[in-house]
Amino acid sequence: MQRRLLTAIRYFSSNAAEQEASHVKVDVSYMRPRHRIMASGGIPPVQFEFERDRISRRERFGKYGLASGVAVEELFPTVEEIEEEQALGLYHELNDALKQHKELQQKKKVAEEARLAELEKNLKKYPSILAKYEAGLIKQEKEKDEKELALEKRIREIQEYFGYWMDPKDPRFEVMLKQKEEEEKKAAKLAKRQEMAKKKFAENV
């Protein structure tokens, strides 16, 4: 009888333990405790060294408020830091900033008005300037010396002789020029011989 009682006690004890274990929540996220706290909306503890500097403490206070455990007086800059910022001119008082902005806008307005006035003035002078420019081009065209005109004429003759256009800067152009000059010399000699032959024939007759 006593043995049966012990067996029953063991049976019910093991069943109770199994039921209790089945109700235990199992974390399958594999997140670290810090991340589990953050995921559940809690405030993670200060764990790393960089979290102890002022910038991180300011961020922590801005995110969690007084519950962050950050002392408010630690968030403000020191007297030395304020003096350094003032010396560098990084920050300005609101009234000073508004005054500087107003002065800058006024300078921009004056510069823009001056630029528009200059443009209007130049537009009025544009017809006369254009006329002078065109007259200068005509004058330059007329003042070309005979050598340039002869060279241009020569270039046109060569291009017409060979039947196609070629850039005078092309090295082949010089070869073609010499070839044309040699042919002209031969033609001149032939014409001279023919003229002399005609004279001799006329004298003999």
Side-chain angles (χ1 to χ4, degrees):
M1 184 70 180
Q2 188 176 2
R3 184 179 295 177
R4 290 181 179 178
L5 182 60
L6 291 173
T7 303
I9 292 172
R10 289 175 183 173
Y11 174 77
F12 287 113
S13 297
S14 61
N15 285 344
E18 290 177 359
Q19 290 178 0
E20 185 178 355
S22 64
H23 290 294
V24 175
K25 293 183 179 179
V26 180
D27 183 15
V28 295
S29 65
Y30 297 100
M31 290 193 301
R32 296 180 179 180
R34 175 186 182 86
H35 297 152
R36 286 200 298 270
I37 294 172
M38 295 173 66
S40 62
I43 302 175
V46 177
Q47 183 177 358
F48 302 102
E49 187 63 29
F50 74 88
E51 293 180 303
R52 294 180 173 85
D53 58 30
R54 182 182 296 170
I55 295 176
S56 298
R57 293 203 305 273
R58 285 175 175 174
E59 292 179 355
R60 185 179 178 86
F61 183 84
K63 188 173 184 179
Y64 302 111
L66 295 173
S68 63
V70 178
V72 179
E73 60 271 14
E74 297 179 2
L75 305 178
F76 292 94
T78 62
V79 176
E80 291 78 9
E81 290 173 342
I82 294 174
E83 291 177 351
E84 183 179 358
E85 291 175 355
Q86 290 177 348
L88 294 174
L90 298 177
Y91 303 99
H92 302 277
E93 295 291 337
L94 177 60
N95 292 333
D96 295 338
L98 292 174
K99 183 179 179 181
Q100 291 177 5
H101 177 71
K102 185 177 180 180
E103 292 176 353
L104 181 62
Q105 294 299 319
Q106 186 66 25
K107 289 180 180 179
K108 286 183 178 180
K109 183 179 179 181
V110 172
E112 184 68 16
E113 290 176 352
R115 189 179 71 87
L116 292 175
E118 185 69 18
L119 286 174
E120 187 176 356
K121 181 180 177 182
N122 291 336
L123 284 174
K124 291 179 180 179
K125 295 190 297 183
Y126 176 74
S128 61
I129 294 174
L130 180 61
K132 289 181 181 179
Y133 174 73
E134 292 176 346
L137 291 178
I138 295 172
K139 185 178 180 181
Q140 288 178 5
E141 188 69 23
K142 290 181 178 179
E143 289 178 352
K144 280 187 176 180
D145 56 18
E146 295 180 358
K147 186 177 180 180
E148 290 179 348
L149 294 174
L151 179 60
E152 290 180 0
K153 182 180 179 182
R154 193 67 170 166
I155 291 171
R156 287 195 298 270
E157 289 176 353
I158 292 172
Q159 291 172 350
E160 291 174 359
Y161 178 79
F162 288 99
Y164 58 90
W165 184 89
M166 180 175 287
D167 190 350
K169 296 180 181 179
D170 193 321
R172 293 176 297 174
F173 185 82
E174 294 294 331
V175 178
M176 295 169 65
L177 178 61
K178 290 180 180 179
Q179 182 180 347
K180 180 71 167 56
E181 290 176 349
E182 289 176 359
E183 291 178 359
E184 288 177 349
K185 288 179 181 179
K186 290 179 181 179
K189 288 180 180 180
L190 181 60
K192 188 175 181 181
R193 287 176 184 175
Q194 290 176 353
E195 185 67 25
M196 291 176 65
K198 287 180 181 180
K199 287 182 179 180
K200 287 182 180 180
F201 180 77
E203 290 176 356
N204 293 330
V205 173

